[in-house]
Amino acid sequence: MASAGAGVMATAAVAKTNKAIRPPNIIFILADDMGYADVGVYGQRHIDTPHIDSIAREGLMLTNGYANSCICSPTRTALATGCYQQRFELGLQEPLGPKAPLHSGLPYTQPTIASALRDLGYQTALVGKWHLGEPPEHGPLRHGYNSHFGIILGGADYFSHRIDLKGEAKVDGLYRNDNPAEQQGYLTDLFGDEAVTLIENAGPKPLFLSLHFNAPHWPWEGPEDEDVSKNLKDIFHRDGGSLETYAAMVRSMDANIGKVLAALKRKGIADNTIVVFTSDNGGERFSDTWPFTGVKGELLEGGIRVPLLFKRPQRIAKGKTSKQVMASMDFMPTLVSASGGKAISGLDGMDLLPVLTGAETAKERTLFWRFRANEQAAVRRGDWKYLKLGHKEHLFNVVNDPRERARLNERNPEKLAELKQLHAQWNAQMLAYPAHSFSEDVKHSYPDRY
């Protein structure tokens, strides 16, 4: 793929000569393992999310938002690079864990969403979860961020900030930039407070703030559950949790998003700030994925369809809904475009800014997924979806049948063959999986479909 550095640097030079135009601040909020209907405006039935809902009321709600993967670090690879994660060895780790190859990380020559915006003159900061390599070699500061406060691994206890993987985790706990940090408090609150501080102290440069909550990822601990943390025997918390605890975790995240939105107003920069809210994959365990089936770890819609809200005052109409299909890898080209940058070559993601602003109608997309050594595969093109689970193949119309129940293989054999062939052509361009088998059982919800 072609390097984008020269184009971004040239764009930065143009921006510096035109000081009358100040690029928008960007607050990119990423939830962790949040189901499609865990947000009020998407149909949540037992959790109030007024602050997240306000982003929809003041901006655009997309009903066809997708994560690039049904699990965390591959999606974050795609989000960071604007490319299918399968183009990188890092993206083949599903997820990145202690048994991954040493020195796993993105190539240093690969532009990222953070490096592209930094080169356009932005102050770039990551608050929260990274999960794309260990510092200092592959921490956030090596891949475009000026600062980082948060966790490096895929999860952590909300009170101890650590993860017990039988001594295999070398970088657990909180980090500030490349160094371990100690700070008391509930992780969701710590991340919200850090984001507010960054906004309040923002200087003359536009701010790109990636606020990557670990909520509502396991372990299942609300703000009042410090006793649960003290007695936790298994970091995966297989023996814990409840709908009430999950609701408390989501409400805490929503409250902290409210603090961030309020800080933007106090600072006087809300009118020139893009706010994005989405999730890294579909819901898990206590999530609500209605009207979809499937969960995290599956390429059914419930594992990859996510809430996606996009607000930009005076540029995006308030309270609108869009059926545009958009994936994690589209944020890099879209946000670089929104900041005044030129198109970056070599990306798989699409600049959808003209659609989001209403200047153009929705664009048809063809998106591809694969998971766990091709045990699962999917294609979304228009209304149609090809889905492979184990040895079984399915054809669905996910617009008419979002629950993926009406199997249309026999009615539309040509469409099934077309999408299957498209996936094979795409897959041939991606890196092959390493020669080891995946032992983790991902047949969560519908073993009869495998």
Short mmCIF file of all heavy atoms in Angstrom, two decimals, residues 205-260:
data_model
loop_
_atom_site.label_atom_id
_atom_site.label_comp_id
_atom_site.label_asym_id
_atom_site.label_seq_id
_atom_site.Cartn_x
_atom_site.Cartn_y
_atom_site.Cartn_z
N LYS A 205 -3.99 24.50 19.42
CA LYS A 205 -4.17 23.46 18.39
C LYS A 205 -5.55 22.82 18.52
O LYS A 205 -6.08 22.68 19.62
CB LYS A 205 -3.10 22.39 18.53
CG LYS A 205 -1.70 22.80 18.17
CD LYS A 205 -0.77 21.59 18.25
CE LYS A 205 0.64 21.93 17.81
NZ LYS A 205 1.53 20.74 17.86
N PRO A 206 -6.13 22.39 17.40
CA PRO A 206 -7.35 21.59 17.50
C PRO A 206 -7.05 20.27 18.22
O PRO A 206 -5.93 19.76 18.16
CB PRO A 206 -7.78 21.36 16.05
CG PRO A 206 -6.52 21.53 15.26
CD PRO A 206 -5.70 22.54 16.00
N LEU A 207 -8.02 19.73 18.91
CA LEU A 207 -7.84 18.54 19.73
C LEU A 207 -8.48 17.33 19.08
O LEU A 207 -9.65 17.37 18.68
CB LEU A 207 -8.46 18.76 21.11
CG LEU A 207 -8.48 17.56 22.07
CD1 LEU A 207 -7.06 17.15 22.47
CD2 LEU A 207 -9.33 17.88 23.31
N PHE A 208 -7.70 16.25 18.95
CA PHE A 208 -8.26 14.94 18.60
C PHE A 208 -8.13 14.06 19.84
O PHE A 208 -7.04 13.67 20.23
CB PHE A 208 -7.53 14.30 17.42
CG PHE A 208 -7.93 12.87 17.17
CD1 PHE A 208 -9.26 12.53 16.96
CD2 PHE A 208 -6.98 11.85 17.14
CE1 PHE A 208 -9.64 11.21 16.73
CE2 PHE A 208 -7.35 10.53 16.90
CZ PHE A 208 -8.68 10.21 16.70
N LEU A 209 -9.25 13.79 20.47
CA LEU A 209 -9.29 13.00 21.68
C LEU A 209 -10.00 11.68 21.42
O LEU A 209 -11.19 11.65 21.11
CB LEU A 209 -10.02 13.77 22.80
CG LEU A 209 -10.36 12.99 24.07
CD1 LEU A 209 -9.12 12.40 24.72
CD2 LEU A 209 -11.12 13.89 25.05
N SER A 210 -9.24 10.59 21.50
CA SER A 210 -9.82 9.25 21.43
C SER A 210 -10.14 8.84 22.86
O SER A 210 -9.22 8.62 23.66
CB SER A 210 -8.83 8.26 20.82
OG SER A 210 -8.56 8.56 19.47
N LEU A 211 -11.40 8.74 23.18
CA LEU A 211 -11.84 8.35 24.51
C LEU A 211 -12.38 6.93 24.42
O LEU A 211 -13.53 6.70 24.05
CB LEU A 211 -12.90 9.32 25.02
CG LEU A 211 -13.55 9.02 26.38
CD1 LEU A 211 -12.51 8.81 27.47
CD2 LEU A 211 -14.53 10.13 26.74
N HIS A 212 -11.51 5.97 24.74
CA HIS A 212 -11.84 4.55 24.56
C HIS A 212 -12.14 3.93 25.92
O HIS A 212 -11.23 3.44 26.61
CB HIS A 212 -10.68 3.83 23.88
CG HIS A 212 -10.43 4.26 22.48
ND1 HIS A 212 -9.50 3.67 21.66
CD2 HIS A 212 -11.00 5.24 21.72
CE1 HIS A 212 -9.49 4.26 20.48
NE2 HIS A 212 -10.40 5.22 20.50
N PHE A 213 -13.39 3.96 26.31
CA PHE A 213 -13.79 3.33 27.56
C PHE A 213 -13.57 1.82 27.48
O PHE A 213 -13.65 1.22 26.40
CB PHE A 213 -15.27 3.60 27.84
CG PHE A 213 -15.57 5.01 28.24
CD1 PHE A 213 -16.16 5.90 27.34
CD2 PHE A 213 -15.27 5.47 29.52
CE1 PHE A 213 -16.45 7.20 27.71
CE2 PHE A 213 -15.55 6.77 29.89
CZ PHE A 213 -16.14 7.64 28.99
N ASN A 214 -13.31 1.19 28.63
CA ASN A 214 -13.34 -0.27 28.67
C ASN A 214 -14.73 -0.77 29.06
O ASN A 214 -15.01 -1.97 28.97
CB ASN A 214 -12.30 -0.83 29.64
CG ASN A 214 -12.55 -0.41 31.07
OD1 ASN A 214 -12.83 0.75 31.33
ND2 ASN A 214 -12.46 -1.34 32.01
N ALA A 215 -15.60 0.12 29.47
CA ALA A 215 -16.99 -0.24 29.77
C ALA A 215 -17.76 -0.46 28.48
O ALA A 215 -17.51 0.21 27.47
CB ALA A 215 -17.65 0.88 30.58
N PRO A 216 -18.72 -1.42 28.52
CA PRO A 216 -19.09 -2.30 29.63
C PRO A 216 -18.47 -3.71 29.54
O PRO A 216 -19.15 -4.71 29.80
CB PRO A 216 -20.60 -2.36 29.50
CG PRO A 216 -20.83 -2.28 28.00
CD PRO A 216 -19.73 -1.41 27.45
N HIS A 217 -17.20 -3.78 29.20
CA HIS A 217 -16.44 -5.03 29.13
C HIS A 217 -16.36 -5.67 30.53
O HIS A 217 -16.36 -4.96 31.53
CB HIS A 217 -15.03 -4.68 28.62
CG HIS A 217 -14.19 -5.83 28.21
ND1 HIS A 217 -13.57 -6.66 29.11
CD2 HIS A 217 -13.79 -6.26 26.98
CE1 HIS A 217 -12.83 -7.56 28.47
NE2 HIS A 217 -12.96 -7.33 27.17
N TRP A 218 -16.26 -7.01 30.57
CA TRP A 218 -16.04 -7.67 31.87
C TRP A 218 -14.77 -7.13 32.53
O TRP A 218 -13.92 -6.58 31.84
CB TRP A 218 -15.95 -9.20 31.71
CG TRP A 218 -15.01 -9.72 30.65
CD1 TRP A 218 -15.35 -10.25 29.45
CD2 TRP A 218 -13.57 -9.76 30.70
NE1 TRP A 218 -14.22 -10.60 28.74
CE2 TRP A 218 -13.12 -10.32 29.48
CE3 TRP A 218 -12.60 -9.38 31.64
CZ2 TRP A 218 -11.76 -10.49 29.18
CZ3 TRP A 218 -11.25 -9.55 31.34
CH2 TRP A 218 -10.84 -10.10 30.13
N PRO A 219 -14.58 -7.29 33.83
CA PRO A 219 -15.48 -7.92 34.80
C PRO A 219 -16.69 -7.05 35.10
O PRO A 219 -16.67 -5.84 34.90
CB PRO A 219 -14.58 -8.08 36.05
CG PRO A 219 -13.57 -7.00 35.93
CD PRO A 219 -13.31 -6.84 34.45
N TRP A 220 -17.74 -7.69 35.61
CA TRP A 220 -19.02 -7.02 35.78
C TRP A 220 -19.03 -6.29 37.12
O TRP A 220 -19.42 -6.83 38.14
CB TRP A 220 -20.15 -8.05 35.68
CG TRP A 220 -19.94 -8.99 34.55
CD1 TRP A 220 -19.62 -10.32 34.62
CD2 TRP A 220 -20.00 -8.68 33.15
NE1 TRP A 220 -19.49 -10.84 33.37
CE2 TRP A 220 -19.71 -9.87 32.43
CE3 TRP A 220 -20.27 -7.52 32.43
CZ2 TRP A 220 -19.68 -9.93 31.05
CZ3 TRP A 220 -20.23 -7.57 31.04
CH2 TRP A 220 -19.95 -8.77 30.37
N GLU A 221 -18.61 -5.04 37.08
CA GLU A 221 -18.46 -4.24 38.29
C GLU A 221 -18.99 -2.83 38.03
O GLU A 221 -18.46 -2.10 37.18
CB GLU A 221 -16.99 -4.14 38.71
CG GLU A 221 -16.36 -5.49 39.03
CD GLU A 221 -14.84 -5.40 39.13
OE1 GLU A 221 -14.26 -4.35 38.76
OE2 GLU A 221 -14.23 -6.40 39.58
N GLY A 222 -20.02 -2.46 38.77
CA GLY A 222 -20.50 -1.09 38.72
C GLY A 222 -19.70 -0.21 39.66
O GLY A 222 -18.82 -0.68 40.40
N PRO A 223 -20.00 1.08 39.68
CA PRO A 223 -19.23 2.01 40.52
C PRO A 223 -19.29 1.70 42.01
O PRO A 223 -18.40 2.12 42.76
CB PRO A 223 -19.88 3.36 40.22
CG PRO A 223 -20.55 3.19 38.90
CD PRO A 223 -20.99 1.77 38.84
N GLU A 224 -20.30 0.96 42.46
CA GLU A 224 -20.44 0.65 43.88
C GLU A 224 -19.99 -0.77 44.21
O GLU A 224 -20.25 -1.26 45.33
CB GLU A 224 -21.92 0.83 44.30
CG GLU A 224 -22.51 2.17 43.94
CD GLU A 224 -21.76 3.33 44.57
OE1 GLU A 224 -21.31 3.17 45.73
OE2 GLU A 224 -21.60 4.37 43.90
N ASP A 225 -19.33 -1.44 43.30
CA ASP A 225 -19.02 -2.87 43.46
C ASP A 225 -17.57 -3.13 43.81
O ASP A 225 -16.97 -4.12 43.35
CB ASP A 225 -19.39 -3.63 42.18
CG ASP A 225 -20.88 -3.66 41.94
OD1 ASP A 225 -21.64 -3.61 42.92
OD2 ASP A 225 -21.30 -3.74 40.77
N GLU A 226 -16.98 -2.32 44.66
CA GLU A 226 -15.58 -2.54 45.02
C GLU A 226 -15.40 -3.86 45.76
O GLU A 226 -14.35 -4.50 45.64
CB GLU A 226 -15.05 -1.38 45.86
CG GLU A 226 -13.55 -1.41 46.01
CD GLU A 226 -12.99 -0.09 46.53
OE1 GLU A 226 -13.78 0.83 46.82
OE2 GLU A 226 -11.76 0.01 46.63
N ASP A 227 -16.43 -4.30 46.50
CA ASP A 227 -16.33 -5.59 47.18
C ASP A 227 -16.26 -6.73 46.18
O ASP A 227 -15.59 -7.75 46.42
CB ASP A 227 -17.52 -5.79 48.11
CG ASP A 227 -17.43 -4.92 49.36
OD1 ASP A 227 -16.32 -4.42 49.64
OD2 ASP A 227 -18.46 -4.73 50.02
N VAL A 228 -16.96 -6.59 45.06
CA VAL A 228 -16.88 -7.60 44.01
C VAL A 228 -15.45 -7.69 43.49
O VAL A 228 -14.89 -8.77 43.29
CB VAL A 228 -17.84 -7.27 42.85
CG1 VAL A 228 -17.66 -8.25 41.69
CG2 VAL A 228 -19.28 -7.28 43.34
N SER A 229 -14.82 -6.55 43.31
CA SER A 229 -13.44 -6.51 42.84
C SER A 229 -12.51 -7.21 43.82
O SER A 229 -11.64 -8.00 43.42
CB SER A 229 -13.00 -5.06 42.65
OG SER A 229 -11.61 -4.96 42.43
N LYS A 230 -12.68 -6.96 45.10
CA LYS A 230 -11.80 -7.55 46.10
C LYS A 230 -11.92 -9.05 46.17
O LYS A 230 -10.96 -9.75 46.56
CB LYS A 230 -12.11 -6.94 47.48
CG LYS A 230 -11.74 -5.47 47.59
CD LYS A 230 -12.15 -4.89 48.94
CE LYS A 230 -11.77 -3.42 49.04
NZ LYS A 230 -12.23 -2.82 50.33
N ASN A 231 -13.06 -9.59 45.80
CA ASN A 231 -13.30 -11.03 45.89
C ASN A 231 -13.28 -11.72 44.54
O ASN A 231 -13.66 -12.89 44.44
CB ASN A 231 -14.65 -11.28 46.58
CG ASN A 231 -14.66 -10.80 48.01
OD1 ASN A 231 -13.87 -11.26 48.83
ND2 ASN A 231 -15.54 -9.86 48.31
N LEU A 232 -12.81 -11.03 43.52
CA LEU A 232 -12.83 -11.58 42.16
C LEU A 232 -11.80 -12.71 42.05
O LEU A 232 -10.62 -12.53 42.34
CB LEU A 232 -12.52 -10.48 41.15
CG LEU A 232 -12.78 -10.78 39.68
CD1 LEU A 232 -14.26 -11.00 39.43
CD2 LEU A 232 -12.27 -9.63 38.81
N LYS A 233 -12.25 -13.88 41.62
CA LYS A 233 -11.36 -15.03 41.48
C LYS A 233 -10.92 -15.25 40.03
O LYS A 233 -9.90 -15.87 39.77
CB LYS A 233 -12.08 -16.31 41.96
CG LYS A 233 -12.58 -16.22 43.40
CD LYS A 233 -11.44 -16.06 44.39
CE LYS A 233 -11.95 -16.06 45.83
NZ LYS A 233 -10.88 -15.81 46.81
N ASP A 234 -11.70 -14.73 39.10
CA ASP A 234 -11.46 -14.98 37.68
C ASP A 234 -11.70 -13.67 36.95
O ASP A 234 -12.80 -13.13 36.96
CB ASP A 234 -12.43 -16.07 37.19
CG ASP A 234 -12.41 -16.24 35.69
OD1 ASP A 234 -11.47 -15.77 35.02
OD2 ASP A 234 -13.37 -16.86 35.17
N ILE A 235 -10.64 -13.13 36.30
CA ILE A 235 -10.77 -11.84 35.63
C ILE A 235 -11.85 -11.85 34.56
O ILE A 235 -12.48 -10.83 34.28
CB ILE A 235 -9.41 -11.40 35.02
CG1 ILE A 235 -9.48 -9.96 34.51
CG2 ILE A 235 -8.98 -12.34 33.91
CD1 ILE A 235 -9.73 -8.93 35.55
N PHE A 236 -12.13 -13.04 33.97
CA PHE A 236 -13.19 -13.12 32.97
C PHE A 236 -14.58 -13.11 33.62
O PHE A 236 -15.57 -12.97 32.93
CB PHE A 236 -13.02 -14.38 32.13
CG PHE A 236 -11.73 -14.41 31.35
CD1 PHE A 236 -10.68 -15.21 31.77
CD2 PHE A 236 -11.56 -13.62 30.23
CE1 PHE A 236 -9.48 -15.23 31.06
CE2 PHE A 236 -10.36 -13.64 29.52
CZ PHE A 236 -9.32 -14.44 29.94
N HIS A 237 -14.62 -13.28 34.93
CA HIS A 237 -15.83 -13.14 35.73
C HIS A 237 -16.97 -14.02 35.21
O HIS A 237 -18.12 -13.58 35.08
CB HIS A 237 -16.27 -11.68 35.76
CG HIS A 237 -16.96 -11.31 37.04
ND1 HIS A 237 -17.41 -10.04 37.30
CD2 HIS A 237 -17.28 -12.03 38.15
CE1 HIS A 237 -17.98 -9.99 38.49
NE2 HIS A 237 -17.90 -11.19 39.03
N ARG A 238 -16.63 -15.26 34.92
CA ARG A 238 -17.63 -16.18 34.38
C ARG A 238 -18.75 -16.48 35.38
O ARG A 238 -19.82 -16.93 35.00
CB ARG A 238 -16.94 -17.49 33.96
CG ARG A 238 -15.94 -17.33 32.83
CD ARG A 238 -15.29 -18.67 32.51
NE ARG A 238 -14.33 -18.57 31.42
CZ ARG A 238 -13.03 -18.33 31.57
NH1 ARG A 238 -12.54 -18.13 32.80
NH2 ARG A 238 -12.22 -18.27 30.55
N ASP A 239 -18.49 -16.25 36.66
CA ASP A 239 -19.47 -16.58 37.68
C ASP A 239 -20.22 -15.35 38.20
O ASP A 239 -20.89 -15.42 39.23
CB ASP A 239 -18.79 -17.28 38.87
CG ASP A 239 -17.77 -16.39 39.57
OD1 ASP A 239 -17.38 -15.36 38.97
OD2 ASP A 239 -17.34 -16.72 40.69
N GLY A 240 -20.12 -14.23 37.49
CA GLY A 240 -20.71 -13.01 38.03
C GLY A 240 -21.52 -12.22 37.04
O GLY A 240 -21.74 -12.62 35.89
N GLY A 241 -21.98 -11.09 37.52
CA GLY A 241 -22.72 -10.17 36.68
C GLY A 241 -24.22 -10.34 36.76
O GLY A 241 -24.73 -11.36 37.24
N SER A 242 -24.93 -9.31 36.31
CA SER A 242 -26.39 -9.33 36.26
C SER A 242 -26.83 -8.19 35.36
O SER A 242 -26.04 -7.29 35.03
CB SER A 242 -26.99 -9.16 37.65
OG SER A 242 -26.70 -7.86 38.15
N LEU A 243 -28.09 -8.19 35.00
CA LEU A 243 -28.61 -7.07 34.21
C LEU A 243 -28.49 -5.76 34.97
O LEU A 243 -28.19 -4.71 34.38
CB LEU A 243 -30.07 -7.33 33.84
CG LEU A 243 -30.33 -8.39 32.76
CD1 LEU A 243 -31.83 -8.62 32.60
CD2 LEU A 243 -29.71 -7.98 31.43
N GLU A 244 -28.69 -5.82 36.29
CA GLU A 244 -28.60 -4.60 37.09
C GLU A 244 -27.17 -4.06 37.11
O GLU A 244 -26.94 -2.84 36.99
CB GLU A 244 -29.08 -4.87 38.51
CG GLU A 244 -30.58 -5.12 38.63
CD GLU A 244 -31.01 -6.49 38.12
OE1 GLU A 244 -30.12 -7.37 37.97
OE2 GLU A 244 -32.21 -6.69 37.87
N THR A 245 -26.19 -4.96 37.28
CA THR A 245 -24.80 -4.52 37.29
C THR A 245 -24.41 -3.96 35.93
O THR A 245 -23.75 -2.91 35.84
CB THR A 245 -23.87 -5.70 37.64
OG1 THR A 245 -24.21 -6.19 38.94
CG2 THR A 245 -22.42 -5.27 37.62
N TYR A 246 -24.81 -4.64 34.87
CA TYR A 246 -24.51 -4.16 33.53
C TYR A 246 -25.10 -2.77 33.30
O TYR A 246 -24.44 -1.88 32.76
CB TYR A 246 -25.04 -5.14 32.49
CG TYR A 246 -24.66 -4.81 31.07
CD1 TYR A 246 -23.42 -5.17 30.57
CD2 TYR A 246 -25.54 -4.13 30.24
CE1 TYR A 246 -23.06 -4.87 29.27
CE2 TYR A 246 -25.18 -3.81 28.93
CZ TYR A 246 -23.95 -4.19 28.46
OH TYR A 246 -23.58 -3.88 27.16
N ALA A 247 -26.33 -2.58 33.76
CA ALA A 247 -26.97 -1.28 33.62
C ALA A 247 -26.19 -0.20 34.35
O ALA A 247 -26.02 0.93 33.85
CB ALA A 247 -28.41 -1.34 34.13
N ALA A 248 -25.68 -0.52 35.55
CA ALA A 248 -24.91 0.44 36.32
C ALA A 248 -23.62 0.82 35.58
O ALA A 248 -23.19 1.98 35.60
CB ALA A 248 -24.59 -0.12 37.70
N MET A 249 -23.00 -0.15 34.90
CA MET A 249 -21.78 0.12 34.14
C MET A 249 -22.06 1.04 32.97
O MET A 249 -21.30 1.97 32.69
CB MET A 249 -21.18 -1.21 33.66
CG MET A 249 -20.75 -2.13 34.79
SD MET A 249 -20.36 -3.81 34.23
CE MET A 249 -18.77 -3.54 33.42
N VAL A 250 -23.16 0.79 32.27
CA VAL A 250 -23.51 1.63 31.12
C VAL A 250 -23.91 3.02 31.58
O VAL A 250 -23.52 4.03 30.96
CB VAL A 250 -24.64 0.97 30.30
CG1 VAL A 250 -25.15 1.91 29.21
CG2 VAL A 250 -24.16 -0.34 29.67
N ARG A 251 -24.66 3.11 32.68
CA ARG A 251 -25.06 4.43 33.18
C ARG A 251 -23.84 5.25 33.59
O ARG A 251 -23.80 6.47 33.39
CB ARG A 251 -26.00 4.27 34.37
CG ARG A 251 -27.39 3.76 34.01
CD ARG A 251 -28.34 3.89 35.19
NE ARG A 251 -29.60 3.22 34.91
CZ ARG A 251 -29.96 2.05 35.43
NH1 ARG A 251 -29.15 1.44 36.29
NH2 ARG A 251 -31.11 1.50 35.13
N SER A 252 -22.85 4.58 34.17
CA SER A 252 -21.63 5.29 34.56
C SER A 252 -20.91 5.85 33.33
O SER A 252 -20.45 7.00 33.34
CB SER A 252 -20.69 4.34 35.32
OG SER A 252 -19.46 4.97 35.60
N MET A 253 -20.82 5.04 32.27
CA MET A 253 -20.20 5.53 31.05
C MET A 253 -20.99 6.70 30.48
O MET A 253 -20.41 7.71 30.06
CB MET A 253 -20.07 4.41 30.02
CG MET A 253 -19.44 4.87 28.71
SD MET A 253 -19.07 3.51 27.58
CE MET A 253 -20.71 2.89 27.27
N ASP A 254 -22.31 6.59 30.47
CA ASP A 254 -23.14 7.67 29.95
C ASP A 254 -22.94 8.95 30.77
O ASP A 254 -22.83 10.05 30.20
CB ASP A 254 -24.61 7.25 29.98
CG ASP A 254 -25.52 8.31 29.40
OD1 ASP A 254 -25.57 8.44 28.16
OD2 ASP A 254 -26.17 9.03 30.18
N ALA A 255 -22.86 8.82 32.09
CA ALA A 255 -22.65 10.00 32.93
C ALA A 255 -21.32 10.66 32.62
O ALA A 255 -21.21 11.90 32.61
CB ALA A 255 -22.73 9.60 34.40
N ASN A 256 -20.29 9.87 32.38
CA ASN A 256 -18.98 10.44 32.08
C ASN A 256 -18.96 11.08 30.69
O ASN A 256 -18.27 12.07 30.47
CB ASN A 256 -17.91 9.37 32.22
CG ASN A 256 -17.47 9.19 33.66
OD1 ASN A 256 -16.67 9.95 34.17
ND2 ASN A 256 -18.03 8.18 34.32
N ILE A 257 -19.72 10.52 29.76
CA ILE A 257 -19.87 11.18 28.46
C ILE A 257 -20.57 12.53 28.64
O ILE A 257 -20.22 13.52 28.00
CB ILE A 257 -20.62 10.26 27.48
CG1 ILE A 257 -19.74 9.07 27.11
CG2 ILE A 257 -21.05 11.03 26.23
CD1 ILE A 257 -20.44 7.99 26.32
N GLY A 258 -21.52 12.56 29.56
CA GLY A 258 -22.18 13.83 29.87
C GLY A 258 -21.20 14.86 30.40
O GLY A 258 -21.28 16.05 30.05
N LYS A 259 -20.24 14.42 31.24
CA LYS A 259 -19.22 15.35 31.74
C LYS A 259 -18.36 15.90 30.60
O LYS A 259 -18.00 17.08 30.60
CB LYS A 259 -18.32 14.64 32.77
CG LYS A 259 -19.02 14.27 34.06
CD LYS A 259 -18.05 13.83 35.14
CE LYS A 259 -17.22 12.66 34.78
NZ LYS A 259 -16.44 12.12 35.93
N VAL A 260 -18.05 15.05 29.64
CA VAL A 260 -17.24 15.47 28.50
C VAL A 260 -18.00 16.49 27.65
O VAL A 260 -17.46 17.53 27.25
CB VAL A 260 -16.83 14.25 27.65
CG1 VAL A 260 -16.21 14.67 26.33
CG2 VAL A 260 -15.85 13.37 28.43
#
